[in-house]
């Protein structure tokens, strides 16, 4: 069945069918670098949301009863379909969210790997049993059998920047765990999400197991989140949206992956050349539009001049321009995002920061910008730009670096660059972050590692096994043995 009505217009996926919304409305998806409409997605109505959730509820028990081996076959098939569609999907990701083709392709391959690993992990998750007599006064005649059961219907809401990978990172564990899914992609990312679901549909997955709801979060988001038919929400996106969502979603388990302001802490004893490679890769790939991008450098003042010179040299090598040319620095997702980034740079410059490189803009293409002598009075020291700018804050001690790192509202990841492993562990222990990377850039992968945001960076843990756990609950059956 075709997922499109014409060259540009996509249908949405309800109960196993690609259909046109009764709203009669579509949303134009404008490419961030072509600046033209590359597709249209359906603006789904509340009644259609009800229908999708109803169809997910209807089939959930059957899906739960379906053996793990059979569920595994569908998901393996899905991964295979993604691999055979990798060029086609990568092209769509590139056009829709402006990621360069090679990185878009890597995203699709990573997604297939993620799905396969999820299947393997789910097949190897086992319950446990407890005998009653280990508790005072308990008896051997009581045996608790603890198993994991699905939660029901999972609402998966994903962001624009990894429109396939971060969506599948919710859908795959939800399905393997026996849940059914309502998937709401970011609007800018909804075509990529639709292609991913086209691959899932090709696996022959039973109808109704998943529905894809397209439409603006500002219009249908609250309705979805507050819907009584939803049993769990897995959300990835901005902190403000996540905080609103957490207020609206009552009495359902919630996993939130939100924004970050990951610091790269550079000690005096660090191998600066190595640190610079990690920092520049971490800060600037996909124009810094990664939750785990290094978003500030806290460097010891004694090596700051040398570090800044090396950073400048490395940043100057970055390719800038169209994602079609494989550029690292590409136009940001929209003009508004670029305005926001420019505002942070302007504020820093006004307050005395030194522009070492960049501060140049062509519409939504922000040139890689390195700001030195950034102080804690400047917004760029605290706010998440989601763009290619790197503020350098000079510090006098480890203690000062730790203090500034921890004063952030965010707590996703942090990097520590040092040749002293004891110091590295000591600093890591004091940092308020979900993960600390020692002598490496902040990053999510490998995707089976637990991935955690604390404070304004989230709630709950992702990573294959943790996602499977968060999408199930424990259930205890007690056998009372007659003696
Ligand atoms: P966003 O604007 O907050 O949107 C995220 C998702 O929420 C989209 O699907 C959006 O739909 C939806 N949404 C908007 N309003 C909603 C509402 N009222 N109810 C329910 N859903 C609603 O974020 P983004 O710009 O796509 O992504 C960038 C942000 O995500 C950055 O802050 C980044 O750090 C964060 N992020 C975090 C992680 C992580 O793992 N921690 C990973 C990736 C990205 P529409 O697109 O239709 O508005
Ligand atoms: O944008 C957030 C992603 O989870 C980051 O993943 O570190 O592999 O780029 P990444």
């Amino acid at each position: 069945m075709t997922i499109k009505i014409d060259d540009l217009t996509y249908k949405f996926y309800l109960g196993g069918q690609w259909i046109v919304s009764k709203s009669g409305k579509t949303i134009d998806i404008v490419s961030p670098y072509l600046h033209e409409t590359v597709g249209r997605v359906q603006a789904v109505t509340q009644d259609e949301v009800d229908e999708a959730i109803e169809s997910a509820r209807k089939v959930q028990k059957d899906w739960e009863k379906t053996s793990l081996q059979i569920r595994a076959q569908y998901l393996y098939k899905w991964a295979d379909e993604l691999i055979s569609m990798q060029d086609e999907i990568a092209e769509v990701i590139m056009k829709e969210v402006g990621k360069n083709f090679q990185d878009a392709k890597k995203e699709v391959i990573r997604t297939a790997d993620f799905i396969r690993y999820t299947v393997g992990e789910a097949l190897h998750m086992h319950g446990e049993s407890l005998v009653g007599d280990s508790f005072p006064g308990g008896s051997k005649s009581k045996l608790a059998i603890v198993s994991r059961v699905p939660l029901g219907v999972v609402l998966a809401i994903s962001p624009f920047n990894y429109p396939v990978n971060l969506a599948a990172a919710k859908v795959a564990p939800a399905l393997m765990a026996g849940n059914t899914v309502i998937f709401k992609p970011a609007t800018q990312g909804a075509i990529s999400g639709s292609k991913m679901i086209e691959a899932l549909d090709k696996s022959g997955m039973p109808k109704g197991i998943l529905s894809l709801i397209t439409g603006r979060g500002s219009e249908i988001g609250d309705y979805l989140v507050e819907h009584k038919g939803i049993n769990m929400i897995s959300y990835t996106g901005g902190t403000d949206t996540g905080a609103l969502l957490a207020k609206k979603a009552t009495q359902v388990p919630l996993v939130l992956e939100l924004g970050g302001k990951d610091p790269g802490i550079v000690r005096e004893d660090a191998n600066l050349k190595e640190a610079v490679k990690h920092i520049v890769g971490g800060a600037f790939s996909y124009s810094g539009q990664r939750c785990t991008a290094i978003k500030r450098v806290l460097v010891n003042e004694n090596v700051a001049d040398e570090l800044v010179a090396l950073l400048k040299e490395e940043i100057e090598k970055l390719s800038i321009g169209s994602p079609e040319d494989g550029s690292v620095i590409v136009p940001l997702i929209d003009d508004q995002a670029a305005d926001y980034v420019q505002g942070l740079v302007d504020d820093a410059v006004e307050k005395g920061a030194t522009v070492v490189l960049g501060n140049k803009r062509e519409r939504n293409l922000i040139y890689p910008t390195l700001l030195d002598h950034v102080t804690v009075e400047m917004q760029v020291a605290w706010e998440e730009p989601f763009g290619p700018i790197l503020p350098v804050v000079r510090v006098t001690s480890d203690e000062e670096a730790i203090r500034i790192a921890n004063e952030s509202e965010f707590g996703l990841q942090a990097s520590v660059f040092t040749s002293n492993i004891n110091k590295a562990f000591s600093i890591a222990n004091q940092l308020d972050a979900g993960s600390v990377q020692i002598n490496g850039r902040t990053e999510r992968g490998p995707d089976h590692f637990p991935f955690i945001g604390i404070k304004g960076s989230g709630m709950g843990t992702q990573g294959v096994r943790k996602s499977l756990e968060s999408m199930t609950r424990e259930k205890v059956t007690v056998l009372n043995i007659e003696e």
Side-chain angles (χ1 to χ4, degrees):
M1 182 189 287
T2 167
I3 76 166
K4 278 167 116 178
I5 302 166
D6 54 43
D7 271 359
L8 284 182
T9 318
Y10 287 78
K11 300 176 187 169
F12 78 109
Y13 189 67
L14 190 153
Q17 307 286 337
W18 291 98
I19 60 168
V20 174
S21 171
K22 294 197 179 84
S23 71
K25 290 185 196 151
T26 55
I27 303 167
D28 282 5
I29 307 295
V30 177
S31 168
Y33 68 98
L34 296 169
H35 303 295
E36 62 187 42
T37 301
V38 288
R40 287 189 194 101
V41 295
Q42 302 294 314
V44 168
T45 66
Q46 292 188 352
D47 284 348
E48 286 159 343
V49 167
D50 290 344
E51 257 183 79
I53 294 176
E54 184 50 33
S55 89
R57 295 198 74 78
K58 251 191 212 151
V59 295
Q60 192 273 323
K61 285 290 167 205
D62 285 343
W63 181 241
E64 180 176 347
K65 282 182 207 147
T66 304
S67 85
L68 267 176
Q69 287 295 333
I70 293 184
R71 281 186 233 155
Q73 280 170 22
Y74 289 121
L75 269 85
Y76 280 139
K77 186 86 200 321
W78 179 24
D80 292 346
E81 292 293 348
L82 285 172
I83 292 300
S84 34
M85 292 167 72
Q86 61 181 284
D87 285 342
E88 189 186 341
I89 299 179
E91 179 85 13
V92 169
I93 296 176
M94 180 176 74
K95 294 228 157 75
E96 186 175 29
V97 300
K99 186 174 285 189
N100 78 45
F101 185 75
Q102 284 316 317
D103 285 350
K105 210 164 143 152
K106 277 190 210 153
E107 178 174 341
V108 181
I109 296 165
R110 177 179 177 178
T111 304
D113 290 341
F114 184 97
I115 295 167
R116 293 192 182 114
Y117 194 97
T118 302
V119 171
E121 193 71 32
L123 292 176
H124 293 99
M125 279 173 79
H126 304 290
E128 59 173 353
S129 62
L130 283 79
V131 184
D133 68 343
S134 52
F135 195 83
S139 142
K140 261 200 190 339
S141 69
K142 272 191 184 293
L143 177 70
I145 300 155
V146 187
S147 53
R148 297 201 82 91
V149 295
L151 297 173
V153 180
V154 169
L155 171 61
I157 304 180
S158 56
F160 80 83
N161 66 330
Y162 278 90
V164 168
N165 182 261
L166 288 177
K170 301 173 186 310
V171 172
L175 292 179
M176 240 359 248
N179 300 287
T180 50
V181 176
I182 302 297
F183 165 41
K184 158 44 200 128
T187 297
Q188 191 89 30
I191 306 179
S192 308
S194 301
K195 295 300 289 181
M196 184 193 80
I197 298 308
E198 184 184 20
L200 178 70
D201 182 59
K202 284 185 185 170
S203 75
M205 187 79 76
K207 292 189 186 319
I209 297 295
L210 177 142
S211 287
L212 162 75
I213 298 295
T214 52
R216 294 215 181 275
S218 52
E219 286 167 20
I220 53 160
D222 290 356
Y223 192 72
L224 276 164
V225 166
E226 292 174 343
H227 203 288
K228 294 282 172 260
I230 295 294
N231 304 109
M232 188 267 173
I233 302 173
S234 176
Y235 166 86
T236 303
T239 298
D240 291 347
T241 318
L244 281 176
L245 186 150
K247 280 192 193 137
K248 301 214 174 239
T250 46
Q251 295 219 305
V252 290
L254 201 57
V255 172
L256 301 175
E257 293 185 330
L258 311 176
K261 185 71 182 170
D262 295 357
I265 296 177
V266 184
R267 293 191 80 238
E268 221 174 333
D269 61 3
N271 176 334
L272 295 185
K273 281 197 175 144
E274 279 303 308
V276 160
K277 280 190 201 138
H278 285 284
I279 292 170
V280 173
F284 291 98
S285 60
Y286 187 35
S287 278
Q289 295 176 113
R290 294 168 50 246
C291 58
T292 46
I294 290 197
K295 293 177 181 140
R296 50 190 170 142
V297 170
L298 305 175
V299 58
N300 186 289
E301 59 182 359
N302 295 329
V303 290
D305 286 345
E306 195 184 343
L307 184 88
V308 169
L310 288 168
L311 283 170
K312 177 173 184 279
E313 213 177 292
E314 195 68 19
I315 297 168
E316 278 170 339
K317 294 181 196 160
L318 296 173
S319 48
I320 303 167
S322 167
E324 298 201 4
D325 303 328
S327 304
V328 175
I329 303 298
V330 290
L332 297 185
I333 195 69
D334 53 30
D335 292 349
Q336 207 187 342
D339 290 346
Y340 178 67
V341 173
Q342 189 61 53
L344 293 178
V345 176
D346 294 345
D347 173 76
V349 172
E350 250 170 55
K351 291 176 180 159
T354 312
V355 178
V356 181
L357 202 66
N359 192 11
K360 181 175 161 194
R361 173 179 180 183
E362 286 159 19
R363 196 173 172 172
N364 58 333
L365 175 64
I366 300 275
Y367 279 65
T369 298
L370 178 62
L371 297 171
D372 194 5
H373 300 287
V374 167
T375 65
V376 294
E377 284 72 37
M378 299 171 190
Q379 290 170 29
V380 75
W382 305 110
E383 289 179 27
E384 179 187 42
F386 232 54
I389 61 172
L390 186 62
V392 176
V393 180
R394 294 170 177 235
V395 295
T396 52
S397 63
D398 291 346
E399 289 67 33
E400 191 186 2
I402 294 164
R403 181 175 55 74
I404 296 175
N406 288 346
E407 271 172 14
S408 168
E409 68 170 294
F410 299 105
L412 193 56
Q413 294 206 349
S415 289
V416 182
F417 296 97
T418 175
S419 52
N420 182 332
I421 194 67
N422 292 325
K423 277 283 175 200
F425 268 84
S426 158
I427 294 172
N429 287 341
Q430 295 174 71
L431 287 171
D432 299 335
S435 318
V436 180
Q437 305 267 354
I438 295 172
N439 292 325
R441 69 183 223 176
T442 46
E443 61 186 359
R444 182 190 193 98
D447 291 334
H448 65 312
F449 284 8
F451 185 69
I452 308 147
I454 61 167
K455 304 197 284 183
S457 291
M459 204 168 78
T461 308
Q462 297 273 290
V464 174
R465 188 179 185 90
K466 295 292 172 187
S467 298
L468 284 161
E469 284 173 4
S470 72
M471 289 172 172
T472 48
R473 65 180 166 81
E474 285 182 316
K475 180 164 186 183
V476 183
T477 308
V478 181
L479 179 61
N480 291 279
I481 303 159
E482 279 181 27
E483 287 181 338

